[in-house]
Amino acid sequence: MMNPFVFACITPHGLPILEELSQGTPQLMASTRSSMKQLGTWMREANPETIVVLTPHGLKIDGMFSVTDSSYLAGEMSEQTVAGMVGERRADKGVTVEFSRAVDRDLAKRIVAAAEEAALPVGDLNFATAAGPFSTLPLDWGVMVPLYFMPNVPIVVVTPSRRISYEDHLRFGAMLGEQVRRSGKRVGLIASCDWSHAHDENGPYGYHEDAVELDRQVVALLKEDELEKMTEFTAEMIDHAKPDGIWQSLILAGAIPREARNSTFLSYEVPTYFGMLTVAYHAQ
């Protein structure tokens, strides 16, 4: 089977990747920022009509996949948000980056209908009005950070649930890929993933040696195109390391068959307390 996406990638979503939100230390995530710019260039060259974004930080429905079906999505990120994520207080917002995107409701509805037909737990999300400017759901940083580097096209946002089995994440991905094929549209895919969050004893989650080991194994699996083997991580290791990328990566694995993963591993770094990596999946 072929890759149904014109371009796909795994990206991180640390806010300081954006130079405007780096709080005067642009060198901190410079390597990742450079990789994100390259991913954005490749996505623009692929010329998608729509981008599907898989995020761990979106609107959550416990035990269900959530799919945005509002007319629009909007949100903002600020230096105040960056400070809050590491437990610091800041009275003013500082530099703020605002986002607004239209939603590809046709593709969103296709995804929801196909998930329901496959007996996958799914929720169709809207807000306020059926359509129009008031039909606007919030955007999270897991979506906004990677989209900052991407072309401004309509999007669909999917948020998984950790209560759903790994097998069903793979099944959801296969269904997503099939619906993209059937739509006839040029669609890009972003799996927004940060990795272990326990790399720094002074970070909000402290330090655990499993963070280093889990990230080491993830890098090896991605370089070998063996994403499905992330299902072998134990619950204890995940609890210790605190990654948030496994579930989105498994959806991508289901959506792009192993033989169609024409991948380029770009970068991995741990500039603060969490791991960040970038991988591209090119259309064949």
Side-chain angles (χ1 to χ4, degrees):
M1 296 181 67
M2 300 295 288
N3 183 347
F5 300 95
V6 294
F7 182 72
C9 54
I10 295 177
T11 76
H13 47 253
L15 274 69
I17 298 170
L18 277 61
E19 192 164 346
E20 296 97 316
L21 301 181
S22 64
Q23 297 185 303
T25 56
Q27 73 281 0
L28 185 66
M29 297 184 180
S31 175
T32 297
R33 186 178 304 120
S34 176
S35 295
M36 295 289 276
K37 289 177 180 178
Q38 179 61 72
L39 293 176
T41 296
W42 283 333
M43 184 72 84
R44 283 190 294 275
E45 289 173 352
N47 193 29
E49 300 171 57
T50 298
I51 298 175
V52 175
V53 187
L54 314 173
T55 175
H57 301 302
L59 290 159
K60 300 173 184 287
I61 307 175
D62 197 21
M64 302 181 78
F65 296 100
S66 73
V67 180
T68 56
D69 187 22
S70 53
S71 291
Y72 301 98
L73 292 159
E76 68 173 31
M77 301 175 288
S78 69
E79 290 180 301
Q80 186 182 61
T81 312
V82 177
M85 285 181 171
V86 293
E88 298 176 0
R89 295 197 174 193
R90 180 177 175 135
D92 65 297
K93 285 189 175 183
V95 176
T96 299
V97 178
E98 297 183 348
F99 262 84
S100 179
R101 293 289 187 272
V103 176
D104 184 339
R105 300 188 76 177
D106 172 70
L107 183 58
K109 291 180 187 300
R110 283 176 174 270
I111 294 167
V112 171
E116 290 175 340
E117 185 176 350
L120 288 163
V122 66
D124 184 309
L125 301 180
N126 198 351
F127 177 75
T129 59
F134 292 109
S135 172
T136 300
L137 285 165
L139 275 173
D140 68 277
W141 65 95
V143 177
M144 291 186 284
V145 170
L147 283 185
Y148 177 89
F149 298 91
M150 303 295 166
N152 186 349
V153 298
I155 63 174
V156 177
V157 176
V158 177
T159 303
S161 168
R162 298 190 184 190
R163 284 188 56 199
I164 301 172
S165 70
Y166 288 150
E167 179 185 352
D168 279 351
H169 280 78
L170 291 166
R171 288 180 59 220
F172 188 93
M175 174 277 300
L176 172 63
E178 179 60 23
Q179 293 310 305
V180 166
R181 273 189 289 269
R182 292 185 182 185
S183 74
K185 295 182 178 181
R186 298 181 60 81
V187 179
L189 177 66
I190 299 171
S192 181
C193 307
D194 284 337
W195 295 93
S196 296
H197 284 63
H199 283 281
D200 185 351
E201 62 182 10
N202 296 316
Y205 304 101
Y207 172 81
H208 199 285
E209 60 187 9
D210 282 351
V212 176
E213 179 58 20
L214 186 142
D215 278 13
R216 184 193 69 78
Q217 291 187 39
V218 165
V219 168
L221 292 176
L222 290 171
K223 287 181 176 180
E224 296 165 4
D225 287 328
E226 296 282 3
L227 286 74
E228 291 86 350
K229 291 186 178 179
M230 291 186 196
T231 60
E232 298 174 9
F233 291 126
T234 66
E236 181 181 40
M237 188 179 198
I238 291 171
D239 182 58
H240 290 162
K242 295 179 171 48
D244 71 12
I246 294 171
W247 300 267
Q248 300 85 259
S249 295
L250 290 177
I251 294 175
L252 183 148
I256 305 175
R258 189 184 186 286
E259 61 272 19
R261 292 175 200 159
N262 181 19
S263 64
T264 302
F265 189 98
L266 293 176
S267 63
Y268 170 77
E269 65 173 344
V270 190
T272 58
Y273 63 91
F274 57 94
M276 304 189 299
L277 59 81
T278 54
V279 186
Y281 296 91
H282 309 272
Q284 292 177 318

